Amino acid sequence: MSAPIVLGIETSCDETAVGIVRGRSLLANVIASSVEEHARFGGVVPEIASRAHLEAMQPTITQALKDANISLSDIDSVAVTAGPGLVGALLVGVGAATGLALGLDKPIFAVNHLAAHISVDALTHTETLTPTIALLVSGGHSSLLQVDDITGSITKLGATMDDAAGEAFDKIARVMKLGFPGGPTIDALAKTGDADSINFPRGLTTSNDWQTRPFDFSFSGLKTAVARYLEATPDYAKADVAASFQEAIVDVLLLKSLAACKASGIDSLVIAGGVAANSRLRAVAEARCQKVGIRLRIPVPGLCTDNGAMVAALGSLMVAAGRAPSPIAFDADSSLPVTTVSV
Ligand code: KG4
Ligand code: ZN
């Protein structure tokens, strides 16, 4: 018998995304983004996102079924992001997913967006995920986690005390007038810059910080330092600023990730979330992990940023682990903690 088919729906931010997997094989991954409608506001406008999800939902599901070459009746389980995210946006996905599960009389798995980011690794690597240290870096969250079982046991080791890593990229891009979202633009611009040209601060890395907050992050000091530099240097070289800023973030993310591996005795690191698409983070992670013998896994760039495949992947892992589905009437939770894998 072939593995069950899971359809996953993701609407936590500005992507209306539907993924379909069979076991750990990806069958479809369709993403409709409303990012252009938000760009002139410099960030995602919740109500615009919700309305865009409503419009895009049905065509996105239809396209995913077509790409997977299946019909609705082939679906064995439905998975959906229950949080964290924008509540009005989440509710559109939750409404669509519960409607599908009810109509098809199939189980529904209401899962955590952050755990789903990590789970997508299962689609590209056959080796089991656990135990592993996970660096989760997205637009809304940055944390270091110990994952003993991605379907139910995640421990938080540390998190950002202010901005998320992706948020820092987006804010610096805004002050440099590089557009939204900032991460991909800074990544591209940094390729032609000198990462050693400006020595920006590495947050929470004093010896006292290593004693008291070894696995927490802070990017607000870096953000202020970059803003001050820009003010004081009217003819600044954009590429050098981008490269030096990016280097400060990459450096501190990896210093702390490798310290978490060392402290826990776990020789495996997964990097997930939108910022995991960053080319410099990927390259430096590979070099540093190889040096100290840590097995590194990062999803392909296209599966790092928000997508439906990751939700389907986590749903599929829940099915395989024999986890109980969610009740059909569950709540979307805009601040669902990363340690709650499903509701
Ligand atoms: O995971 P994600 O798609 O959405 C959230 O759950 O937040 O992450 C989006 C974030 C944005 O802040 C975006 O600027 C950042 O990921 N990002 C990047 C890159 N691609 C996306 N940051 C740095 N380099 C990139 N290549
Ligand atoms: Zn995300």
Side-chain angles (χ1 to χ4, degrees), residues 12 178 248-249 336:
S12 68
L178 297 174
I249 294 210
L336 190 66

Side-chain angles (χ1 to χ4, degrees), residues 195-253:
D196 297 324
S197 57
I198 313 153
N199 187 17
F200 286 129
R202 272 66 171 158
L204 294 185
T205 55
T206 65
S207 54
N208 185 46
D209 295 327
W210 281 112
Q211 297 289 323
T212 54
R213 302 193 160 276
F215 308 130
D216 288 328
F217 302 106
S218 168
F219 299 110
S220 68
L222 170 62
K223 199 178 61 188
T224 309
V226 176
R228 284 216 184 107
Y229 178 86
L230 298 178
E231 263 172 39
T233 323
D235 58 344
Y236 63 83
K238 277 192 174 183
D240 287 347
V241 177
S244 303
F245 159 75
Q246 178 175 271
E247 202 66 13
I249 294 210
V250 166
D251 187 27
V252 79
L253 289 176

Side-chain angles (χ1 to χ4, degrees), residues 297-324:
R297 280 167 299 174
I298 315 179
V300 292
L303 292 177
C304 288
T305 43
D306 289 351
N307 63 80
M310 67 191 210
V311 179
L314 180 50
S316 189
L317 293 175
M318 307 267 305
V319 172
R323 293 271 172 189

Side-chain angles (χ1 to χ4, degrees), residues 113 117 138 306 310:
H113 177 85
H117 267 302
S138 73
D306 289 351
M310 67 191 210

Side-chain angles (χ1 to χ4, degrees), residues 120-325:
V120 81
D121 176 77
L123 302 179
T124 38
H125 296 101
T126 47
E127 203 184 344
T128 58
L129 256 169
T130 50
T132 191
I133 296 298
L135 170 67
L136 179 77
V137 272
S138 73
H141 295 83
S142 292
S143 41
L144 261 174
L145 310 165
Q146 178 171 329
V147 180
D148 288 304
D149 174 356
I150 191 64
T151 68
S153 175
I154 299 180
T155 312
K156 194 165 163 181
L157 303 177
T160 181
M161 304 183 62
D162 37 63
D163 292 341
E167 201 177 352
F169 273 97
D170 295 338
K171 286 181 175 171
I172 291 304
R174 194 183 311 165
V175 291
M176 291 175 72
K177 300 194 171 52
L178 297 174
F180 173 83
T185 320
I186 291 184
D187 190 349
L189 189 59
K191 288 191 200 302
T192 59
D194 176 3
D196 297 324
S197 57
I198 313 153
N199 187 17
F200 286 129
R202 272 66 171 158
L204 294 185
T205 55
T206 65
S207 54
N208 185 46
D209 295 327
W210 281 112
Q211 297 289 323
T212 54
R213 302 193 160 276
F215 308 130
D216 288 328
F217 302 106
S218 168
F219 299 110
S220 68
L222 170 62
K223 199 178 61 188
T224 309
V226 176
R228 284 216 184 107
Y229 178 86
L230 298 178
E231 263 172 39
T233 323
D235 58 344
Y236 63 83
K238 277 192 174 183
D240 287 347
V241 177
S244 303
F245 159 75
Q246 178 175 271
E247 202 66 13
I249 294 210
V250 166
D251 187 27
V252 79
L253 289 176
L254 293 174
L255 277 175
K256 299 217 164 196
S257 300
L258 295 192
C261 289
K262 198 170 171 195
S264 61
I266 294 173
D267 67 349
S268 158
L269 175 66
V270 174
I271 306 183
V275 180
N278 183 271
S279 63
R280 184 67 185 155
L281 178 62
R282 300 173 78 92
V284 179
E286 202 167 314
R288 290 195 195 174
C289 286
Q290 198 179 25
K291 210 168 157 193
V292 293
I294 287 171
R295 291 171 300 142
L296 171 70
R297 280 167 299 174
I298 315 179
V300 292
L303 292 177
C304 288
T305 43
D306 289 351
N307 63 80
M310 67 191 210
V311 179
L314 180 50
S316 189
L317 293 175
M318 307 267 305
V319 172
R323 293 271 172 189

